Amino acid sequence: MDWFLIGLAALLVLYIFAKKRTDKNVPLINSPIVIAHRGSSGACPENTYSAFDQAVEAGAEMIELDIQLSKDGELMVIHDRLLDRTTNGQGNVADYTRDELLQLDAGAWFDAKFSEEKIPVLQEVLERYNGKIGFLIEVKYPQDQPGIGTKLRTTLQNFLETKEGNHPLIVQSFDDAFLRDFNKMMSNIQLGLLIRKQLSLKEVEHFSTHISYLNPKYTVVTPGFIKIIHKHGMKCFVWTVRSKRIKEIIQKMNVDGIATDYPEWYK
């Protein structure tokens, strides 16, 4: 009888711990999780439906994608400020309306067989992959895009009303000021801060007050730094794995997620 009561007590402790981890959004199930960086961008043009479809097919838990505002205030999925590298357009993304951006070819630069690809609209991406995969949304250049946080809040509020499945939804940026402001807008959304260098203990403590994920470039990751991140109650997504040598190194560390151009490597 005593052993039975001890077992019940242990289960209760585990249940309480699990509940504490679900205060924002959805907890991660697998660790490390595989994050398709701009979709499966090693096999398809980045930030396109082909890349996102391939990521789902490869079994990735999340797709990472980048957003910017069009001239008329629509959230478009594209990485660079300029259109030149990944489309047949020229100039700044912000100088084109949604409809003008949708006329561009966003795939032929990678391979002629992708010439029908268009720049996706964030809302349509969320709808298309709802219930199929998680989303890691990177906000690009927020300091130069007034109103992008408000537009993102509206888009995510609408999405959460119809969200299906147990898939995480995380917003990240290199801009901590934006993340602090967005946390005030949507305190129920988990946030990630992208970093390119190791931080001091004081900096880690500061970010832990509003950040759920501290996401470093693979070149600055060490087991000790990951331990510090975890000690302060945050998780760690490492970016961006593009070689199998780096893949083997990172997999030996206690990271929570790995962003890669090749999610199929982890099947």
Side-chain angles (χ1 to χ4, degrees):
M1 183 65 177
D2 289 343
W3 284 108
F4 176 75
L5 292 175
I6 291 172
L8 283 177
L11 287 172
L12 179 61
V13 170
L14 288 172
Y15 174 77
I16 293 172
F17 179 75
K19 291 289 285 182
K20 287 179 69 177
R21 291 168 58 90
T22 61
D23 56 337
K24 281 188 177 182
N25 239 286
V26 177
L28 301 179
I29 299 172
N30 302 316
S31 187
I33 69 168
V34 177
I35 304 158
H37 178 248
R38 305 179 201 169
S40 187
S41 55
C44 304
E46 65 182 59
N47 281 325
T48 63
Y49 286 121
S50 290
F52 300 152
D53 288 345
Q54 179 68 20
V56 174
E57 177 69 21
E61 283 92 352
M62 301 185 76
I63 51 175
E64 186 269 353
L65 53 83
D66 308 283
I67 59 168
Q68 299 183 59
L69 283 175
S70 65
K71 185 177 180 179
D72 53 347
E74 185 62 76
L75 291 173
M76 308 299 292
V77 179
I78 185 170
H79 179 273
D80 297 1
R81 292 178 189 267
L82 297 176
L83 295 163
D84 305 53
R85 181 177 67 88
T86 59
T87 78
N88 63 343
Q90 293 181 323
N92 293 308
V93 173
D95 291 337
Y96 290 77
T97 66
R98 172 189 183 274
D99 289 344
E100 289 170 340
L101 291 170
L102 289 176
Q103 297 303 311
L104 300 177
D105 176 343
W109 67 273
F110 188 90
D111 191 292
K113 68 182 180 180
F114 295 109
S115 62
E116 298 299 317
E117 287 292 342
K118 305 300 179 185
I119 300 173
V121 178
L122 177 62
Q123 180 179 339
E124 294 173 1
V125 172
L126 295 173
E127 292 171 357
R128 176 165 172 159
Y129 299 100
N130 188 5
K132 297 179 181 178
I133 198 166
F135 300 97
L136 179 58
I137 301 170
E138 180 178 346
V139 180
K140 305 298 293 184
Y141 326 115
Q143 71 280 8
D144 299 329
Q145 302 190 81
I148 193 170
T150 302
K151 178 65 176 179
L152 180 59
R153 176 184 61 186
T154 300
T155 301
L156 294 185
Q157 284 175 336
N158 292 336
F159 172 65
L160 289 174
E161 291 178 1
T162 62
K163 186 175 182 292
E164 300 175 1
N166 194 34
H167 303 286
L169 171 64
I170 301 165
V171 171
Q172 68 174 2
S173 178
F174 282 100
D175 191 320
D176 181 54
F178 166 79
L179 293 173
R180 280 188 274 114
D181 288 343
F182 194 75
N183 185 53
K184 296 173 184 176
M185 294 185 192
M186 293 195 79
S187 60
N188 60 320
I189 295 292
Q190 292 185 320
L191 303 177
L193 178 65
L194 292 156
I195 55 174
R196 291 190 175 95
K197 64 178 183 178
Q198 287 200 14
L199 305 177
S200 68
L201 185 59
K202 186 176 181 180
E203 288 173 314
V204 173
E205 290 174 347
H206 165 72
F207 292 133
S208 68
T209 62
H210 55 285
I211 298 298
S212 299
Y213 294 82
L214 200 52
N215 299 337
K217 188 175 181 180
Y218 77 90
T219 53
V220 301
V221 174
T222 64
F225 188 43
I226 296 169
K227 187 174 182 180
I228 290 172
I229 292 172
H230 287 161
K231 183 178 179 181
H232 285 82
M234 294 177 286
K235 292 186 175 66
C236 173
F237 288 168
V238 174
W239 56 276
T240 300
V241 174
R242 295 187 173 101
S243 80
K244 291 192 175 181
R245 180 180 68 85
I246 299 301
K247 170 182 177 288
E248 296 303 320
I249 294 172
I250 298 300
Q251 277 190 292
K252 294 176 183 177
M253 299 187 187
N254 188 29
V255 300
D256 301 287
I258 299 172
T260 177
D261 291 354
Y262 301 93
E264 59 272 13
W265 285 352
Y266 297 84
K267 273 190 175 182

